[in-house]
Amino acid sequence: MTGNHVTELEIQQYVFDKTDCPNQIAEHIESCDGCAARAAGYRLVFTGIKQYPKPVLDFDLEKSVLEILPKPASAFSPEIFLAYALSIALIIGIAVFGFLYRDRVVKIFAGILPIAVYLVIITALTVCALQVMDIYKKYQKKMRVLKSM
Amino acid sequence: MGNNLPDQLLVESILRGNTNAFSEIVRNTRGLVTQIICRMMNSVEDRKDISQDIYLKAFNSLRSFRFQSNLSTWIGQIAYNTCLNYLEKKKLILPGKFFDEDDQESQEVSYDFSSSATSETEVLIFRKEMGSIIQSSIESLTPVYRTMIMLYHREELSYHEIGQIMKLPEGTVKSYLFRARKALKENLLSQYKREEI
């Protein structure tokens, strides 16, 4: 309270948050014509806000949202089935070839210098590491975009 | 705040691939999102695109939702940020102050509204007039404060929830609401006096 009257903040508290308003303030407003008139102004504001028309969108929100959502993947996809089938066939083919011609395969590698083998392995690992780093960077970028939304 | 089982079930269902469960979320949050869009955006033409954008963002980032707030508050936050970004991009929002600081120190004017009308009919007419004045005053508020007033008084959100949506401390929300209501009351008073003259 300032002087003999309540502050603007206290009047707002009395009108908008009456449960949190101390009794002393409520009693003053109810007994003081000046403060009661100020409170009446806020009551009109409150009534005006309550009368404010509820917003309505001029389209069907639910329908418009469902239209743009990505469609769920169907249980059977011919493309995915073909990709899996080819991958399995390829792995089986390599395994059968390796088993049938294992002596020749061993001979091929026996003729190569160990340093050359190491070179090939290191190159392959480097390429793989670069690929993984690239994938990770892309993932981080996507996460940053999502977080900024 | 905290975990909400129906929300959690809905989110899990959507993440398992049930896109249709998302319509339940749209239905649950429609009121809040519509309130935010309509109070933030004056352009009716852009509202459809913005609402689709809001829900698409929510759908795509559903996996990152950690249930630290209600799902509706989280979607409200996305809605508010999307509208704010749109307004900033189009330079439709005035950054910085909402009211001049001097407004807070403006003279306290008092007027006995209740004694202006005598008969019951007069009271009704008076209230109707006051209602339309306040409504035009609400329209003249900046989008951020208009939204804040509506979220508190119409959607009945708490200061905490409004703070989460707008990413503002609770104290700031209270302070802004105080200033917005005061501006509405002063506007009402000055317009009423002008009409009376």
Side-chain angles (χ1 to χ4, degrees):
Chain A
M1 287 175 84
T2 52
N4 293 327
H5 296 287
V6 293
T7 63
E8 203 70 8
L9 188 64
E10 287 164 334
I11 290 191
Q12 282 204 16
Q13 196 182 12
Y14 171 75
V15 176
F16 300 110
D17 299 305
K18 211 167 183 177
T19 48
D20 293 335
C21 182
N23 283 341
Q24 190 196 356
I25 291 166
E27 281 164 14
H28 174 84
I29 295 170
E30 282 152 21
S31 62
C32 170
D33 288 344
C35 291
R38 284 159 71 203
Y42 278 116
R43 275 201 206 92
L44 278 172
V45 168
F46 185 71
T47 311
I49 295 170
K50 289 285 175 191
Q51 283 173 354
Y52 200 79
K54 206 170 169 63
V56 181
L57 296 172
D58 59 356
F59 55 90
D60 186 340
L61 179 65
E62 206 180 316
K63 197 178 159 194
S64 76
V65 169
L66 289 180
E67 269 172 14
I68 52 141
L69 289 187
K71 298 281 172 283
S74 69
F76 177 78
S77 163
E79 291 84 9
I80 291 172
F81 176 77
L82 190 67
Y84 276 118
L86 282 174
S87 304
I88 291 166
L90 192 67
I91 291 165
I92 292 171
I94 291 168
V96 169
F97 179 83
F99 181 75
L100 292 176
Y101 301 99
R102 57 188 180 279
D103 295 340
R104 289 185 186 187
V105 172
V106 170
K107 275 178 193 169
I108 291 168
F109 284 102
I112 301 172
L113 286 170
I115 193 157
V117 175
Y118 290 135
L119 200 66
V120 169
I121 290 170
I122 289 167
T123 311
L125 287 175
T126 310
V127 170
C128 284
L130 287 172
Q131 288 287 333
V132 169
M133 277 166 65
D134 188 45
I135 290 168
Y136 184 70
K137 272 183 191 169
K138 281 179 184 166
Y139 167 77
Q140 293 281 66
K141 200 177 168 186
K142 281 181 185 172
M143 288 308 289
R144 272 199 299 275
V145 171
L146 280 175
K147 278 178 188 168
S148 69
M149 286 195 304
Chain B
M1 289 295 127
N3 284 10
N4 182 331
L5 193 61
D7 280 354
Q8 211 159 358
L9 290 175
L10 272 174
V11 170
E12 281 167 10
S13 172
I14 295 161
L15 292 179
R16 279 199 302 269
N18 181 10
T19 313
N20 289 333
F22 197 74
S23 61
E24 181 74 20
I25 292 180
V26 178
R27 272 197 297 277
N28 293 345
T29 57
R30 186 168 41 196
L32 175 67
V33 170
T34 306
Q35 190 72 264
I36 293 173
I37 293 173
C38 294
R39 300 307 162 222
M40 293 286 288
M41 318 258 308
N42 286 328
S43 160
V44 179
E45 304 82 57
D46 294 330
R47 286 178 183 169
K48 189 175 180 181
D49 290 342
I50 290 286
S51 63
Q52 286 181 326
D53 195 19
I54 290 164
Y55 282 108
L56 192 61
K57 279 178 184 172
F59 182 83
N60 288 334
S61 20
L62 212 51
R63 203 171 284 281
S64 67
F65 179 56
R66 294 284 169 263
F67 297 94
Q68 284 164 345
S69 66
N70 288 333
L71 186 62
S72 61
T73 308
W74 181 69
I75 291 179
Q77 193 180 55
I78 295 174
Y80 176 74
N81 284 339
T82 307
C83 291
L84 204 62
N85 288 341
Y86 171 87
L87 294 175
E88 278 170 355
K89 259 184 214 163
K90 298 244 170 179
K91 301 193 190 306
L92 291 172
I93 199 158
L94 296 171
K97 287 188 288 183
F98 170 50
F99 303 117
D100 288 336
E101 293 301 318
D102 295 344
D103 281 0
Q104 287 190 69
E105 306 304 325
S106 63
Q107 280 190 326
E108 292 296 338
V109 270
S110 178
Y111 191 85
D112 190 356
F113 292 98
S114 52
S115 66
S116 305
T118 48
S119 73
E120 208 171 293
T121 320
E122 279 177 332
V123 169
L124 284 174
I125 294 167
F126 170 78
R127 282 197 178 158
K128 206 174 173 185
E129 280 175 3
M130 288 297 109
S132 67
I133 291 175
I134 292 165
Q135 284 174 24
S136 68
S137 300
I138 294 170
E139 292 293 341
S140 69
L141 291 175
T142 64
V144 173
Y145 291 90
R146 190 165 55 224
T147 306
M148 200 178 267
I149 283 274
M150 287 300 150
L151 291 184
Y152 186 80
H153 290 288
R154 291 300 298 266
E155 295 302 313
E156 296 180 348
L157 297 188
S158 65
Y159 295 122
H160 181 72
E161 287 168 316
I162 297 174
Q164 281 189 320
I165 288 175
M166 298 189 158
K167 287 186 181 166
L168 290 172
E170 261 183 71
T172 310
V173 174
K174 282 182 188 176
S175 160
Y176 285 174
L177 273 171
F178 167 76
R179 290 159 74 177
R181 289 165 184 155
K182 194 177 172 204
L184 288 176
K185 195 197 83 170
E186 281 169 3
N187 200 338
L188 169 76
L189 194 68
S190 62
Q191 287 212 41
Y192 184 71
K193 279 188 170 174
R194 205 180 304 149
E195 280 187 15
E196 207 178 41
I197 291 164

